[in-house]
Amino acid sequence: MLKEEVKRLLDGKQVELVIGYEKGTLALRTTPSFITSADDVERLVWNEFCENNLAKYLPGRKEKVAIVAKGCDVRSIVGLIQEGQITREQIFIIGIPCEGIIDRRKIESRLGKKEILEAACENGKILLRGEDFQEILKKDDFLYDSCKVCKYRNPIVFDLLIGDRVPESGGIDEYAEIREFEAKSADERWLHFQKEISKCIRCYACRNACPLCYCEWCLVDQSQPRWIGVTDNPSDVGIFHLFRVFHVAGRCVDCGACSRACPMNIDLRWLLKKMEKDVKELFGYEAGLSVEEVPPLATFKEEDPQDFIK
Ligand code: SF4
Ligand code: SF4
Ligand code: SF4
């Protein structure tokens, strides 16, 4: 059905470009696919390995674009519309209800050095095959952490929904780990932060993978003036991470793209989730739920209590 609909959109010239997924060159992977001709729709795939948040490819586009989007991807598209990076009219959202994406790192860590040559997912089971082994794993045990607690598996904004709606994950405390973190002393929290970011090599893959990190001139790249040192000493690295987490506060949709991109396997999610929780408690706001809303940190009210704003 996805391929038929994309063909229809391109043949009818409703869109000039379709951004979706195609088979990757490695097992457990898909890769972003950019399709401009109906002749190429056979390249498209949809499965539990479609991990990229394709909203990353929207800012700056001038043409009419159709995009394949999971629940979290749609929320970041909503963010981009709210922030004027794209218009709603320009985007045709092909929403796909999603029951969670498979975390390849969890699988690779389970299998150790075994090389996976083929992977598939059927009926809640992950089927893996290598040269001299076969393995069947339970899908739910290998989902991304974001997917385990996701409340928006069904896209909330779309022009076309492919597939049946799926049950949302209910009754899971998405902030359990954050509460544990909050219960620690300030020194312990600081130590945790320093320990985690000590692995960072400042490759900026996290920033580059985030659909909401679209600034043409990122503060960390500016040299006139230079706001942040370019070294990997703990102070410069810490400022980079604090700066980034504040920049996405009230905008991050917990899509996990930044954590997946990190070559050092740094737990970026814990800091982002803490900020998400704070914004929710302080402003009653969750990112990416309505194109009409204005994110709380992008606006102010006369009656805001902070005197320094007035
Ligand atoms: S966070 Fe939700 S919508 Fe996004 S991939 Fe996971 S389950 Fe799907
Ligand atoms: S900060 Fe990370 S989890 Fe949040 S929207 Fe950006 S890529 Fe997704
Ligand atoms: S992707 Fe990982 S290593 Fe690279 S800058 Fe981000 S946190 Fe640091």
Side-chain angles (χ1 to χ4, degrees):
M1 187 172 170
L2 173 64
K3 291 176 187 171
E4 280 167 33
E5 293 294 345
V6 167
K7 188 168 177 349
R8 186 181 57 78
L9 287 168
L10 286 167
D11 276 342
K13 303 209 181 316
Q14 277 180 265
V15 298
E16 294 158 75
L17 169 70
V18 178
I19 308 178
Y21 302 91
E22 63 184 63
K23 194 173 182 308
T25 47
L26 298 172
L28 304 171
R29 303 298 296 262
T30 57
T31 193
S33 187
F34 298 81
I35 295 198
T36 52
S37 162
D39 296 339
D40 292 331
V41 297
E42 287 307 318
R43 278 168 36 199
L44 288 172
V45 299
W46 167 256
N47 57 41
E48 292 80 355
F49 306 110
C50 293
E51 63 177 30
N52 294 62
N53 184 339
L54 302 176
K56 179 68 201 175
Y57 302 103
L58 290 178
R61 292 214 173 263
K62 300 283 177 266
E63 70 272 56
K64 179 111 193 198
V65 183
I67 182 165
V68 176
K70 311 181 285 291
C72 54
D73 307 342
V74 164
R75 290 178 64 205
S76 36
I77 295 171
V78 167
L80 292 173
I81 295 170
Q82 288 173 329
E83 295 174 16
Q85 296 305 307
I86 41 167
T87 62
R88 178 69 187 93
E89 297 70 38
Q90 193 192 343
I91 304 297
F92 188 98
I93 301 173
I94 305 173
I96 305 201
C98 160
E99 289 187 286
I101 296 299
I102 291 165
D103 185 339
R104 59 194 150 79
R105 284 185 182 155
K106 286 182 187 163
I107 292 188
E108 283 159 2
S109 134
R110 167 73 164 262
L111 264 60
K113 292 196 187 332
K114 288 182 186 168
E115 189 189 3
I116 303 162
L117 297 176
E118 275 178 35
C121 188
E122 286 167 20
N123 304 321
K125 302 264 186 258
I126 307 167
L127 318 170
L128 304 168
R129 196 186 61 74
E131 205 149 285
D132 51 2
F133 73 92
Q134 285 194 4
E135 190 109 24
I136 299 178
L137 304 173
K138 196 172 156 209
K139 177 187 157 192
D140 285 351
D141 295 340
F142 292 87
L143 292 180
Y144 278 108
D145 292 347
S146 320
C147 300
K148 285 186 181 168
V149 296
C150 175
K151 295 179 302 186
Y152 302 103
R153 293 178 158 194
N154 297 290
I156 46 166
V157 180
F158 55 84
D159 298 290
L160 172 71
L161 195 68
I162 303 268
D164 297 330
R165 288 182 174 275
V166 299
E168 300 290 356
S169 55
I172 300 173
D173 180 2
E174 61 180 318
Y175 298 122
E177 285 177 17
I178 304 303
R179 271 186 260 279
E180 274 176 37
F181 176 69
E182 287 170 335
K184 293 177 193 265
S185 69
D187 283 347
E188 287 172 321
R189 294 202 301 268
W190 182 241
L191 268 180
H192 180 90
F193 173 70
Q194 286 186 311
K195 185 166 170 249
E196 205 54 46
I197 63 154
S198 67
K199 297 177 263 177
C200 178
I201 55 172
R202 288 190 74 174
C203 66
Y204 300 147
C206 50
R207 175 198 68 179
N208 296 353
C210 176
L212 294 157
C213 276
Y214 52 71
C215 296
E216 200 173 333
W217 293 101
C218 176
L219 198 79
V220 298
D221 294 328
Q222 287 183 19
S223 57
Q224 290 183 335
R226 172 150 312 282
W227 299 97
I228 299 178
V230 289
T231 73
D232 61 356
N233 77 41
S235 164
D236 285 344
V237 177
I239 291 171
F240 161 60
H241 282 281
L242 292 174
F243 150 73
R244 200 181 95 82
V245 79
F246 274 103
H247 199 176
V248 295
R251 305 166 67 230
C252 171
V253 297
D254 195 15
C255 71
C258 49
S259 305
R260 285 195 287 274
C262 178
M264 304 309 288
N265 222 357
I266 295 173
D267 181 9
L268 298 167
R269 186 167 174 264
W270 126 84
L271 202 51
L272 294 162
K273 208 67 186 158
K274 161 71 178 145
M275 201 54 84
E276 177 193 294
K277 178 173 176 286
D278 285 355
V279 169
K280 200 168 168 183
E281 288 170 359
L282 289 167
F283 303 102
Y285 181 83
E286 278 186 88
L289 297 187
S290 160
V291 288
E292 278 82 38
E293 278 184 307
V294 181
L297 300 183
T299 186
F300 72 98
K301 294 189 186 121
E302 282 285 327
E303 61 273 24
D304 277 345
Q306 294 94 338
D307 287 340
F308 70 91
I309 292 178
K310 294 181 183 168

